Amino acid sequence: ENAATFPASWQSFAGWLPWAHDASARTIAKAFRRAALGEDALLSPSNAVHKWSSWENCLFAAKPSSRQTCTLMPATQNTMKASQSLPPAQRPTHPWPKLNTNSMQALLTMHYVAERAFFPDGFELLDAASGFHFPLKLVHGRNDRVCPVANAECLAAAIPHGMAELLLTEGGHSQWDNVNINAFVRATDALADTMPETV
């Protein structure tokens, strides 16, 4: 959807990957991580970081084009049509210049997406959520173009009744949006008030 909504930005981001149109986000992230680590002759590490950061900034600044709804079903029943296979890359004949420290945030995000948020193989959050028996405050921005609001609604619905509270803000995906920060603080304070005092 984001690729169709922002075709120019998407072309600038993934145009160097001829197979990106039918690849999963995880596979594309793996390709960018490989390039950022200097293991692809087609794209320099600095260009990989620049393209990734520019695409992220495009999504952070955007507003959702439509309101999606949650259709709750076990995640293991979802069918993945997008390709999960990372095509081989031509390795550079000479080392690329190393990245500077300003590239660390982009590298971290690439790694996070490529490794599926560091969940172990076979783990599905919605399937596991039915076993959550502790209070949860879920903060989510209504204007998030990276993770739709429907994702948070599905998660809240999968958690046993009364254990989760979904706090929707007018923010986007960034944790640095002021409204998201305020919601995080309020949620943390509310949870702290429920904890027994310790000596």
Side-chain angles (χ1 to χ4, degrees):
E1 179 187 353
N2 285 327
T5 305
F6 310 106
S9 295
W10 174 259
Q11 180 61 27
S12 177
F13 169 61
W16 68 287
L17 298 171
W19 44 264
H21 63 281
D22 62 353
S24 69
R26 187 180 185 187
T27 305
I28 293 172
K30 286 181 177 180
F32 270 88
R33 180 177 63 179
R34 181 170 62 189
L37 294 177
E39 299 172 357
D40 195 319
L42 292 181
L43 192 68
S44 73
S46 60
N47 280 339
V49 167
H50 175 73
K51 287 177 179 292
W52 183 275
S53 298
S54 295
W55 177 246
E56 277 193 325
N57 290 336
C58 171
L59 297 183
F60 285 173
K63 303 295 183 184
S65 56
S66 61
R67 178 71 172 88
Q68 296 180 326
T69 58
C70 170
T71 302
L72 188 60
M73 62 183 293
T76 52
Q77 294 182 17
N78 290 337
T79 56
M80 294 297 294
K81 296 182 180 180
S83 173
Q84 304 291 320
S85 177
L86 179 63
Q90 178 182 350
R91 296 187 67 87
T93 55
H94 300 287
W96 290 107
K98 290 186 177 181
L99 293 171
N100 57 42
T101 55
N102 294 331
S103 305
M104 293 304 104
Q105 179 61 47
L107 279 171
L108 176 62
T109 312
M110 291 176 198
H111 191 53
Y112 178 84
V113 178
E115 296 302 323
R116 211 172 69 95
F118 309 117
F119 290 136
D121 290 340
F123 178 87
E124 296 292 347
L125 183 58
L126 291 184
D127 294 341
S130 62
F132 292 176
H133 297 288
F134 44 84
L136 284 167
K137 303 283 188 181
L138 307 176
V139 176
H140 202 102
R142 288 188 177 92
N143 294 313
D144 193 333
R145 282 302 299 238
V146 180
C147 299
V149 173
N151 290 13
E153 292 174 337
C154 284
L155 178 57
I159 296 169
H161 179 67
M163 299 302 295
E165 180 183 1
L166 178 56
L167 305 173
L168 294 178
T169 76
E170 295 304 318
H173 185 72
S174 176
Q175 71 269 32
W176 303 119
D177 284 356
N178 286 336
V179 288
N180 289 343
I181 293 174
N182 290 338
F184 289 139
V185 173
R186 293 197 308 272
T188 303
D189 288 344
L191 285 175
D193 288 342
T194 68
M195 301 295 177
E197 293 185 5
T198 56
V199 177

